[in-house]
Amino acid sequence: MAGSISSALLLLLNMAGALLAPSASAPQSLPASADDDGDVDFFFFPFLVRYKSGRVERFVGTDTVPASLEPATGVASKDAVIDAAAGLAVRLYLPSLGNSTRTRSGRGDRLPLVVFYHGGGFVTESAFSPTYQRYLNALASKAGALVVSVDYHLSPEHPLPAAYDDAWAALRWVLGSARSGAEPWLSRRADLTRLLLVGDSAGGNIAHNMAMRAGREGLDGGAAIKGIALLDPYFWGKRPVPSETRDPEDRRLNDRIWSFVCAGRYGADDPVVNPVAMAREEWRRLGCARVLVTVAGLDVLSARGRAYVEELRASGWGGEVRLYETPGENHVYFLLQPDGEKAAKEMDAVVAFINGDRSPGGSKPEGSAKSI
């Protein structure tokens, strides 16, 4: 049975599984409400349907939870509005100083600053979802980092490059607020010399593109991105890469999905989605010193993550790139099974990367980190 299901469809189901609340279920067919709007324009199974009337109905990734103080970790979170008119906001996470890296780093109360971009195929989820509240509470606590999670606009109502523009505006706001004192957590606690961008799936794509833009344009005040962590990043392209298996159905489906999220503004081999196609001189503009890429062995996108690491290494870019592989798991499994042993090992790798350790951990067979 499994052999009859395309790898692209399995990817979508795994992505949806990571976003579904325990009581929710993805639709197996179009909802009855489809008749309310007449013909369906695009059914992005299992995430959403867009009707020809323009109405969009989402099935997963719409739940939200309020900012709070989590008793188990001592991490506090709060929301901040960047631009009320544009609808751009963030959620900040501040760990208990008892769990922070200040005693190890000798930097007082200053913490590593992580700007996080959530996944969801560019079409679902938010900075306020229970999935990412849980993950980022854990990340902030374990890494002793101040985390800023960006609530960017979603496609198809706001097709790409809207998410990229929002991500860049949020990054500039973070840096400006840290310097001006407009946001006390940032101005009092953030160490701008330890600025990292982290994202999963579509968020990993965004983090990469922000580092590329920073390399081309620079950041306000001469700030520099210390590193980027791309967790099961969403990259695509028409031409297969080494170890990538793909049938024509997969190619057509993924091409249609990419065209849908960007409204046809970027081709399937545009560098924003297919950095492997970049010339080597473009790779050398990547605006950070360190890169961590994680991949899951059963993820159809894993070959793209490996190819990213290989191309970056071959480009002559002067930084350090690492690949962390978890065999036997699917796309963003660490969101679906956060308490599992493999997820814990991957979390340790990300935490160590944030804190600048030479060896990010996870070297046992269940997951392996490779410095390349």
Side-chain angles (χ1 to χ4, degrees), residues 131-321:
T131 297
Y132 290 101
Q133 180 82 358
R134 178 181 59 205
Y135 181 78
L136 294 177
N137 268 325
L139 182 65
S141 174
K142 293 178 183 297
L146 199 168
V147 179
V148 182
S149 181
V150 180
D151 193 49
Y152 56 86
H153 285 90
L154 301 176
S155 187
E157 298 93 332
H158 305 276
L160 293 175
Y164 298 141
D165 293 340
D166 286 349
W168 185 252
L171 180 56
R172 294 187 65 192
W173 176 87
V174 167
L175 295 173
S177 297
R179 294 192 181 96
S180 69
E183 169 41 59
W185 283 9
L186 290 170
S187 62
R188 297 172 185 171
R189 301 293 179 82
D191 182 354
L192 296 187
T193 68
R194 291 187 287 168
L195 169 64
L196 299 103
L197 309 185
V198 181
D200 73 290
S201 193
N205 175 296
I206 293 173
H208 159 78
N209 279 290
M210 294 306 98
M212 290 300 304
R213 185 166 177 177
R216 290 191 298 264
E217 302 179 15
L219 290 171
D220 298 340
I225 298 169
K226 186 79 170 180
I228 60 174
L230 314 181
L231 315 180
D232 294 4
Y234 172 40
F235 297 127
W236 184 242
K238 284 188 173 294
R239 288 177 293 181
V241 297
S243 78
E244 183 177 45
T245 58
R246 188 194 305 174
D247 60 35
E249 180 183 353
D250 287 343
R251 184 178 65 251
R252 287 191 294 269
L253 176 58
N254 280 287
D255 286 350
R256 289 184 65 216
I257 289 170
W258 174 247
S259 181
F260 176 72
V261 300
C262 70
R265 295 171 183 174
Y266 303 104
D269 279 324
D270 190 286
V272 299
V273 71
N274 186 19
V276 173
M278 290 194 303
R280 289 186 174 179
E281 55 267 26
E282 283 298 306
W283 277 108
R284 292 195 288 270
R285 295 179 181 177
L286 185 67
C288 61
R290 303 168 63 236
V291 175
L292 171 68
V293 178
T294 74
V295 297
L298 301 182
D299 184 0
V300 68
L301 298 179
S302 62
R304 292 272 157 186
R306 296 187 194 98
Y308 180 102
V309 170
E310 294 296 337
E311 289 297 321
L312 182 55
R313 178 186 63 169
S315 71
W317 173 74
E320 176 190 5
V321 58

Side-chain angles (χ1 to χ4, degrees), residues 320-331:
E320 176 190 5
V321 58
R322 302 174 184 176
L323 175 67
Y324 183 95
E325 299 184 64
T326 303
E329 293 294 346
N330 286 298
H331 189 68

